[in-house]
Amino acid sequence: MKLLAVVGARPNFMKIAPLMWEIERRSGVEALLVHTGQHYDQQMSQLFFDELRIPRPDANLEVGSGSHAVQTAEVMKRFEPVLLDERPDAVVVVGDVNSTIACALTAVKLGVPVAHIEAGLRSFDRAMPEEINRILTDAISRWLFVSEPSGLENLRREGVAEERMFFVGNLMIDTLLACRERSEHSDVLRQLELEGQPYGVLTLHRPSNVDDSAVFQALARAVGRLQSELPIVFPVHPRTRQALAGWNLAQMPHLRLTDPLGYLDFMKLLAHARLVLTDSGGIQEETTVLGVPCLTLRANTERPSTVSEGTNCLVGMNPERIIEAGLAAIAGEPAVGRVPQFWDGSAAARVLDILTAKEH
Ligand code: UD1
């Protein structure tokens, strides 16, 4: 069986890595890897290939940044000739970024079936670009690989046939568990002079938080207050860099800005944090497995099991609410949560068992 796997943006790399490792271990299945180039900075892309030992892509479409329409269209235009040349048995896409829907749509129009990893997640917020990408990718994919039970419920509600959906667990957690020991060797805490000290971690990159200056200013108020209680490390996403000019950073001496971090450093930083504040999807899941309290600075989450089972708390963007929840987490007992079913390091193996089963 010949698979063609696609990655484009930073959160895709940790989802595709365990699939590529598992394919290397098996006979009878080969995979080509295409990088769309949606993310291209060394710190947002190549570093993850190196650290996660992802094979060099067979093609890099080098689409770069652009408006949603431009970026999506550019991926489609450049992906189509690769598919025509390679004629894989199936295309594997992950997550919910523009590269995900662009490659899925290109493939199905050429009659190539698509497998979607991390299918069925829904925030029910159609102002979120990723929600549109999720709904559309799921609608046209042949295999829907689901990471948590809400994904199955959402797909059923949308009328998807049972034989298309498979509850396999979380591939990103395969990567987390496989890299746990190596990430503990990172000396990021020493470099930040935080070894043995309590600290928090902040990440922000959603357009709804960063591109809306009223929201972004309100978040500054909350971060300003919390950093006076606990030093906070803030690896800054490229989207967020410019907007930060509007924050009065001089008033936040305990907020430590860094460039985007590599995977191993970031996992070490998360694992030892007293508190994490984020608007990322993946970090809600990683903190759940690491047992670290996470305050999600969003009105909704497409990953409800991180709240019902894990250590995640949805606090929204109201500064008073964030400060109250943050202070409680700093002062409180360590978080307790359960690891959701199948977030166990074997999700990629389940995906490949299904994809390579005889009946397809
Ligand atoms: C994208 C995904 C989002 C994901 C996020 C993770 C979509 C719609 N959004 O958002 O779901 O959570 O990646 O990071 O696909 N830039 C650089 N260097 C890079 C990449 C981007 O400087 O390597 C800058 C560019 O100015 C670009 C901006 O960041 O315009 C945004 O990049 P883009 O890929 O459009 O969206 P993200 O916000 O990264």
Side-chain angles (χ1 to χ4, degrees), residues 296-312:
T296 294
L297 311 181
R298 286 174 46 188
N300 50 56
T301 179
E302 61 287 335
R303 293 160 160 91
S305 72
T306 61
V307 177
S308 60
E309 301 196 54
T311 52
N312 188 21

Side-chain angles (χ1 to χ4, degrees), residues 28-66:
V29 53
E30 59 162 319
L32 297 169
L33 182 62
V34 172
H35 188 343
T36 66
Q38 178 174 344
H39 283 178
Y40 42 83
D41 286 350
Q42 157 76 15
Q43 294 284 108
M44 301 289 287
S45 176
Q46 186 58 46
L47 182 55
F48 290 80
F49 277 78
D50 297 342
E51 290 190 340
L52 300 180
R53 298 169 185 159
I54 303 172
R56 206 182 137 82
D58 298 279
N60 190 326
L61 308 181
E62 295 181 345
V63 295
S65 303

Side-chain angles (χ1 to χ4, degrees), residues 226-293:
L226 291 176
Q227 61 83 47
S228 69
E229 298 292 327
L230 184 74
I232 295 179
V233 184
F234 182 14
V236 182
H237 186 281
R239 177 186 283 282
T240 313
R241 209 176 289 138
Q242 278 195 333
L244 266 184
W247 279 22
N248 192 348
L249 293 171
Q251 299 286 323
M252 304 187 202
H254 306 294
L255 182 68
R256 310 270 294 272
L257 305 190
T258 74
D259 284 335
L261 294 176
Y263 185 76
L264 299 174
D265 284 348
F266 192 64
M267 285 309 115
K268 171 99 182 229
L269 196 63
L270 281 189
H272 297 270
R274 185 76 195 81
L275 172 66
V276 174
L277 302 131
T278 191
D279 62 5
S280 150
I283 293 172
Q284 298 169 49
E285 299 184 334
E286 286 157 344
T287 47
T288 276
V289 171
L290 293 167
V292 172

